[in-house]
Amino acid sequence: MTFSFHHHLRSGDWVINEVAKVIQKKKLKNIHIAPSSIFESYTELVPCIENGNITSIHTSYMNGPVSIAVQKGLLKGELVMQTHGGRARSIESGEIHIDVAFLATPTVDKLGNGYGATGESACGVLGYAVSDLEYADIVILVTDHLVDALDHIQLSKDYVDAVIVVDKIGNPEGIVSGTTKITRDPIGLKIAKDTSVLLDKLGLIKNGFSMQTGAGGTSLAVVDYVRAIMKKRNIKGRFASGGITSYYVKMLEEGLFENLYDVQCFDLDAVKSVDRNQNHIAISASKYGNPYEDLPICEQLDFVILGATEIDLDFNVNVTTDSFGRIIGGSGGHSDIAHGAFCTVIVSQLIKSRLPIIKEELQTISTPGENVDVFVCERGIAVNPLRKDLIDQLNRKKVPIFTMKELLEEAHWVTGVPKKLPKNTKRIGVVEYRDGTIIDSLYQVESHV
Amino acid sequence: MTFSFHHHLRSGDWVINEVAKVIQKKKLKNIHIAPSSIFESYTELVPCIENGNITSIHTSYMNGPVSIAVQKGLLKGELVMQTHGGRARSIESGEIHIDVAFLATPTVDKLGNGYGATGESACGVLGYAVSDLEYADIVILVTDHLVDALDHIQLSKDYVDAVIVVDKIGNPEGIVSGTTKITRDPIGLKIAKDTSVLLDKLGLIKNGFSMQTGAGGTSLAVVDYVRAIMKKRNIKGRFASGGITSYYVKMLEEGLFENLYDVQCFDLDAVKSVDRNQNHIAISASKYGNPYEDLPICEQLDFVILGATEIDLDFNVNVTTDSFGRIIGGSGGHSDIAHGAFCTVIVSQLIKSRLPIIKEELQTISTPGENVDVFVCERGIAVNPLRKDLIDQLNRKKVPIFTMKELLEEAHWVTGVPKKLPKNTKRIGVVEYRDGTIIDSLYQVESHV
């Protein structure tokens, strides 16, 4: 059977662990799970993997003990790393058939409707649960907050088979991320400042524009610089999307954006805002990034600011593994919005932990280079040669452009040329692009360094 | 077959007339229609009735030429006058089976989702269309405004079979009512003032209270007096419901109410507000007043202010026919909220057009007296003897109370005793209480006076 879960309670989720305990107790075998992400606290999955209760996994992001177990080769079947939009596509197209969806739901009414933005375990939007809700054979809402009636509904009773009321569905402290603060690092701030100038020179900050950024410190600094430009020139954007943080809530409430399109809330301000603001709009993973969806939000984006663990000379980006090939994340929405946006900018320090971020060969390709347009680091800006339009525009504005090779040589001048690690060879999983194409493999890492 | 329609475009609706023309052209016979209301502009129904194309009608409110045609006895079958909540009950319980619902929808997206508060024919909420949407065999949205995608959805694509795009679904000038102004008549203002004092003496204006009023000039004056009390004493209500007008929008935006529960918008400010305000919540007719619904809004009301065309000594109220028995309205939500509210107050001038509003015998019972608690007119207040609790409370506060008989005698002293009209005898229809009970009959009126 296939069981599915969403990850909106993030590190605070107790539902997936409770179900995993039952899987162990009932000695179920060869279960396939399809959680939208796996966080470090989902530890009860580890014995399930070790004992062959769970033998294959589809997910879009993964770290912590489950990553380590899978990396060791303990999963009997295969791991498929999807994108958020690709996961919705695969469920809605029938490629993944979910037998039972266990959906942690912060508030449920007596009719079985669900809502995410109220209750003690409020997490805001439940965007990654919608495909599961609509397509799973059996849908179970698990809640710790049952109310008579809901004013706003995110999960419709029409699809719900059962509601389970428990004492607690999670730990509120783990649910909302505490990491969403603007960087104070001067290099991060310089990169952010340069990025905002670049976006402005490209004419992308104008009335009616749309943007998305990650929740990292440098990305948030870009948001702050963009905000300053908008206020100075009295610019109103059409929307920001994501992964919404308090920074975007502030901009919505200042009237700088018409709408926020929110597939998951990153902090408590966002959770409160989606309950309060009519124009803070909860969207599903399909609406966000399903390639089979008609004009999903990701395809309406003017620019996006994203991170990387590695980037190569062809602008291919790795956000799935570290320099040793160890799984420390996954695409999430990275590939979806990189594909959809008119201009995709990767921001990073050129050198991290004494290693250049630019590689001649990546450990893993998460997002193909053809979806990536610009790389900004503290030493300069590189533009994908495929984007002659952007290069022409920046040349006219006398913005200096480097090649990736030049930036790589600059990095090597500081760090030396890192020695090549022997490539791992025993395949443990694959990276699936948003449209279902397998674009890379994941390998067993013998000693977990 | 049964065709259904909603009346949210009010006098501006063109969809029902267009469908009626097709019924005539196709010479359909013995059609049953179930529009939520019938306005004076729905003139194309008249030849359908005359020619036997349409032979029976369920509706909740009716006036104009269609009323006259039915009153003459031209409808071959029967007219059933329902309440708004009763209509939802009868559709959802299967008592009325709708073959085709033609739902005028101001905005429709490419997937077939519908929304009422945007587009040239915006009417705000589409609450009376929801039962039809969910239970009709075939659901057709008729729109003049097709968009790529909707941020907010009132009618879910899941239930829609077809979308028809036309040039215009209606005339915006007829859609929103122009009558929602506070009365300037000194007698109306006195009644309103007395009513607000009464409500206050009954302790009903307190933190967390809820209320509903009609959109008549006197009712709106009551709202204004209640608002003044709330502001003075810093009171915040839980909700106002209805038929929402600009007065309630103002109070929501002033923070005087937590929520508005809106089943239909009465004016343009309400239409704009439902699109703008998160806490201006669109509800269905079932959520509003379906007696089979678990805790509908009407049952959560502390007090309601309603009108009457006639009231008798037992507090039975007529809002369906005039003094001659001619159909000039119908219950709409009158019976639903009168039943649900803790305290139901009827406000009216004692004497209208030289006739006392209090009668010994009503032409038609729309709302049973057991649902009506207080009658306020310019000469005084009467309280239903069933409500000993209210009477005791008012006695303690030294509020003078009259009996209905005393008020009737007062009226007769001014107008004389009106001569009794001969009772009409040929039955043309019935009045159905919200739970399906037939509580009165409607009769042919020979000469339309």
Side-chain angles (χ1 to χ4, degrees):
Chain A
M1 292 189 104
T2 296
F3 294 164
S4 83
F5 309 86
H6 67 70
H7 71 279
H8 286 284
L9 302 187
R10 304 168 64 91
S11 300
D13 189 294
W14 287 355
V15 170
I16 194 166
N17 278 337
E18 288 304 311
V19 173
K21 280 189 214 164
V22 177
I23 290 173
Q24 293 163 39
K25 202 172 153 193
K26 284 192 163 300
K27 299 192 171 64
L28 301 182
K29 290 289 173 191
N30 297 319
I31 296 292
H32 167 228
I33 59 166
S36 52
S37 293
I38 295 174
F39 280 72
E40 68 280 6
S41 65
Y42 303 177
T43 51
E44 290 293 340
L45 295 175
V46 175
C48 290
I49 292 168
E50 290 170 348
N51 301 332
N53 306 118
I54 291 173
T55 49
S56 57
I57 299 176
H58 273 78
T59 194
S60 307
Y61 181 96
M62 185 162 120
N63 64 21
V66 180
S67 269
I68 295 173
V70 172
Q71 196 88 63
K72 281 184 190 162
L74 298 180
L75 193 70
K76 301 227 166 29
E78 212 163 47
L79 166 71
V80 180
M81 294 296 290
Q82 303 186 293
T83 74
H84 285 322
R87 179 178 187 273
R89 175 198 54 74
S90 69
I91 294 169
E92 297 187 13
S93 66
E95 198 176 294
I96 294 184
H97 177 89
I98 301 171
D99 293 291
V100 189
F102 298 93
L103 305 180
T105 311
T107 303
V108 175
D109 73 13
K110 288 199 287 192
L111 301 172
N113 294 299
Y115 185 60
T118 51
E120 262 191 77
S121 306
C123 60
V125 179
L126 299 170
Y128 298 127
V130 177
S131 302
D132 309 49
L133 174 83
E134 294 182 354
Y135 288 86
D137 278 356
I138 295 174
V139 175
I140 298 172
L141 304 193
V142 185
T143 192
D144 53 17
H145 188 225
L146 194 68
V147 297
D148 279 345
L150 280 167
D151 290 331
H152 303 287
I153 290 166
Q154 288 168 350
L155 307 181
S156 164
K157 69 180 193 312
D158 295 3
Y159 301 101
V160 174
D161 297 287
V163 176
I164 297 177
V165 183
V166 297
D167 280 347
K168 292 293 298 167
I169 58 170
N171 169 15
E173 284 175 30
I175 292 170
V176 284
S177 164
T179 63
T180 59
K181 288 224 167 72
I182 290 179
T183 186
R184 292 186 182 189
D185 170 55
I187 297 177
L189 287 172
K190 177 186 163 27
I191 294 168
K193 174 90 187 182
D194 291 352
T195 303
S196 68
V197 171
L198 172 86
L199 295 168
D200 200 23
K201 298 258 187 201
L202 286 171
L204 293 172
I205 305 172
K206 58 180 190 291
N207 275 320
F209 84 100
S210 52
M211 69 182 284
Q212 179 167 341
T213 60
T218 305
S219 288
L220 292 180
V222 176
V223 179
D224 213 43
Y225 286 119
V226 169
R227 173 170 167 260
I229 293 169
M230 291 171 80
K231 291 191 106 164
K232 192 171 158 195
R233 293 217 299 273
N234 203 21
I235 289 166
K236 182 162 189 170
R238 188 159 79 84
F239 72 83
S241 58
I244 293 296
T245 59
S246 62
Y247 296 92
Y248 285 115
V249 171
K250 187 169 65 174
M251 290 172 79
L252 178 75
E253 294 185 345
E254 288 173 341
L256 296 177
F257 284 111
E258 277 176 43
N259 288 321
L260 302 181
Y261 291 111
D262 190 350
V263 69
Q264 71 172 322
C265 296
F266 276 138
D267 60 27
L268 199 59
D269 281 350
V271 173
K272 288 180 183 163
S273 165
V274 80
D275 188 49
R276 177 178 70 225
N277 285 313
Q278 175 88 338
N279 294 333
H280 185 157
I281 295 156
I283 58 170
S284 68
S286 265
K287 179 79 190 169
Y288 175 55
N290 182 344
Y292 288 180
E293 178 90 6
D294 183 17
L295 210 60
I297 293 296
C298 73
E299 286 177 24
Q300 300 176 44
L301 280 161
D302 289 322
F303 64 86
V304 298
I305 312 296
L306 293 167
T309 59
E310 302 180 318
I311 185 166
D312 73 11
L313 298 175
D314 296 325
F315 291 78
N316 295 305
V317 171
N318 178 12
V319 289
T320 308
T321 53
D322 67 9
S323 316
F324 300 99
R326 295 177 300 197
I327 300 169
I328 43 84
S331 178
H334 198 283
S335 305
D336 298 312
I337 60 173
H339 173 88
F342 172 76
C343 181
T344 297
V345 182
I346 304 292
V347 296
S348 175
Q349 296 196 16
L350 181 58
I351 296 161
K352 279 205 269 194
S353 313
R354 299 196 198 162
L355 286 172
I357 188 178
I358 306 174
K359 310 281 175 177
E360 303 213 43
E361 196 182 353
L362 302 184
Q363 283 285 353
T364 310
I365 293 180
S366 312
T367 296
E370 65 185 42
N371 289 341
V372 175
D373 304 306
V374 183
F375 172 66
V376 181
C377 67
E378 69 278 21
R379 302 297 177 109
I381 292 166
V383 181
N384 192 325
L386 293 172
R387 293 302 300 267
K388 292 199 176 57
D389 57 331
L390 301 181
I391 294 169
D392 287 351
Q393 212 171 343
L394 293 174
N395 283 341
R396 277 198 302 276
K397 302 266 170 115
K398 312 278 183 206
V399 178
I401 302 177
F402 296 82
T403 64
M404 283 298 249
K405 194 135 186 14
E406 286 168 339
L407 292 174
L408 176 62
E409 281 161 6
E410 176 107 15
H412 283 176
W413 189 81
V414 177
T415 63
V417 178
K419 70 165 190 231
K420 278 204 178 169
L421 291 173
K423 190 91 178 171
N424 299 304
T425 53
K426 185 171 177 258
R427 201 174 83 158
I428 55 159
V430 294
V431 177
E432 185 187 276
Y433 189 58
R434 57 201 300 267
D435 64 1
T437 312
I438 303 302
I439 56 170
D440 208 345
S441 292
L442 295 159
Y443 297 96
Q444 188 171 326
V445 177
E446 287 305 337
S447 75
H448 222 84
V449 194
Chain B
M1 295 190 100
T2 296
F3 294 163
S4 83
F5 309 85
H6 68 71
H7 71 279
H8 287 284
L9 301 187
R10 303 166 65 89
S11 300
D13 189 294
W14 287 354
V15 170
I16 195 166
N17 277 338
E18 288 304 311
V19 173
K21 281 188 212 166
V22 176
I23 291 174
Q24 293 163 39
K25 203 172 151 193
K26 285 193 162 301
K27 299 192 170 63
L28 301 182
K29 290 288 173 191
N30 297 319
I31 295 293
H32 167 228
I33 60 167
S36 52
S37 292
I38 295 175
F39 281 73
E40 68 280 7
S41 64
Y42 302 177
T43 50
E44 290 295 337
L45 295 176
V46 175
C48 290
I49 292 168
E50 289 170 347
N51 302 333
N53 306 117
I54 292 173
T55 49
S56 57
I57 299 176
H58 273 78
T59 194
S60 306
Y61 180 96
M62 186 163 117
N63 63 23
V66 178
S67 270
I68 295 173
V70 171
Q71 196 89 61
K72 278 184 191 164
L74 298 181
L75 193 70
K76 301 228 165 31
E78 212 163 47
L79 166 73
V80 180
M81 293 296 290
Q82 302 186 294
T83 74
H84 285 323
R87 179 177 186 273
R89 176 200 52 74
S90 68
I91 294 169
E92 297 187 14
S93 66
E95 198 176 295
I96 294 185
H97 177 88
I98 300 172
D99 293 290
V100 189
F102 297 93
L103 305 179
T105 312
T107 303
V108 176
D109 74 11
K110 287 199 290 192
L111 302 171
N113 294 300
Y115 185 61
T118 51
E120 262 190 79
S121 307
C123 60
V125 179
L126 299 170
Y128 299 126
V130 176
S131 301
D132 309 49
L133 175 82
E134 294 181 354
Y135 289 85
D137 279 355
I138 295 175
V139 174
I140 298 172
L141 304 191
V142 185
T143 191
D144 52 18
H145 189 225
L146 193 69
V147 297
D148 279 344
L150 280 168
D151 290 331
H152 303 287
I153 289 167
Q154 289 168 349
L155 306 182
S156 164
K157 69 182 192 308
D158 296 3
Y159 301 101
V160 174
D161 297 287
V163 176
I164 296 177
V165 183
V166 296
D167 280 347
K168 293 294 296 166
I169 57 171
N171 169 15
E173 284 175 31
I175 293 171
V176 284
S177 163
T179 63
T180 60
K181 288 223 167 72
I182 291 179
T183 186
R184 293 189 182 184
D185 170 56
I187 297 178
L189 286 173
K190 177 186 166 21
I191 294 168
K193 175 91 187 180
D194 290 352
T195 303
S196 69
V197 171
L198 171 86
L199 295 167
D200 199 22
K201 298 258 188 202
L202 287 170
L204 293 172
I205 304 172
K206 59 179 189 290
N207 275 321
F209 83 99
S210 52
M211 69 182 284
Q212 178 167 341
T213 60
T218 305
S219 288
L220 292 179
V222 176
V223 179
D224 213 42
Y225 285 119
V226 170
R227 174 170 167 261
I229 293 169
M230 293 172 79
K231 291 191 105 165
K232 193 172 161 196
R233 294 216 299 272
N234 203 20
I235 289 166
K236 182 162 187 168
R238 189 160 78 83
F239 72 84
S241 58
I244 293 296
T245 59
S246 61
Y247 295 93
Y248 284 115
V249 171
K250 188 169 65 176
M251 290 170 80
L252 179 74
E253 294 184 346
E254 288 173 341
L256 296 177
F257 284 111
E258 277 176 44
N259 288 322
L260 302 181
Y261 292 110
D262 189 351
V263 68
Q264 71 171 323
C265 296
F266 276 139
D267 60 27
L268 198 59
D269 281 350
V271 173
K272 288 181 183 164
S273 166
V274 80
D275 187 49
R276 178 178 69 225
N277 286 313
Q278 176 88 339
N279 295 333
H280 185 155
I281 295 155
I283 58 169
S284 68
S286 265
K287 179 79 191 167
Y288 174 56
N290 183 344
Y292 287 1
E293 178 91 5
D294 183 17
L295 208 59
I297 293 297
C298 72
E299 286 177 23
Q300 301 176 44
L301 280 161
D302 289 321
F303 64 85
V304 298
I305 311 298
L306 292 167
T309 57
E310 302 180 318
I311 185 166
D312 73 12
L313 298 175
D314 296 324
F315 290 77
N316 296 303
V317 170
N318 177 14
V319 288
T320 308
T321 53
D322 65 11
S323 318
F324 301 99
R326 295 176 301 197
I327 301 168
I328 44 83
S331 177
H334 197 284
S335 303
D336 299 312
I337 60 174
H339 173 87
F342 172 77
C343 181
T344 298
V345 182
I346 303 291
V347 295
S348 175
Q349 298 196 15
L350 181 59
I351 297 160
K352 279 206 271 194
S353 312
R354 299 192 197 166
L355 287 172
I357 188 179
I358 306 174
K359 312 280 175 177
E360 304 213 44
E361 193 182 357
L362 301 184
Q363 283 285 353
T364 310
I365 293 180
S366 313
T367 296
E370 66 186 39
N371 290 341
V372 175
D373 304 306
V374 184
F375 172 65
V376 180
C377 65
E378 70 277 20
R379 303 297 177 107
I381 292 167
V383 181
N384 192 325
L386 293 172
R387 292 303 300 267
K388 292 200 176 53
D389 57 331
L390 301 182
I391 293 168
D392 286 351
Q393 212 170 342
L394 293 174
N395 283 341
R396 277 199 302 277
K397 302 267 170 118
K398 315 278 186 206
V399 178
I401 301 177
F402 297 81
T403 64
M404 283 299 249
K405 195 138 183 29
E406 286 167 340
L407 291 174
L408 175 62
E409 281 161 5
E410 175 105 17
H412 282 176
W413 189 81
V414 177
T415 63
V417 179
K419 68 163 193 240
K420 278 206 179 170
L421 291 172
K423 190 89 177 173
N424 299 304
T425 53
K426 184 171 176 259
R427 200 173 85 157
I428 55 159
V430 294
V431 177
E432 185 186 275
Y433 189 57
R434 57 200 299 268
D435 64 1
T437 313
I438 303 302
I439 56 170
D440 207 345
S441 292
L442 295 159
Y443 297 96
Q444 188 170 326
V445 176
E446 287 305 337
S447 75
H448 220 84
V449 193

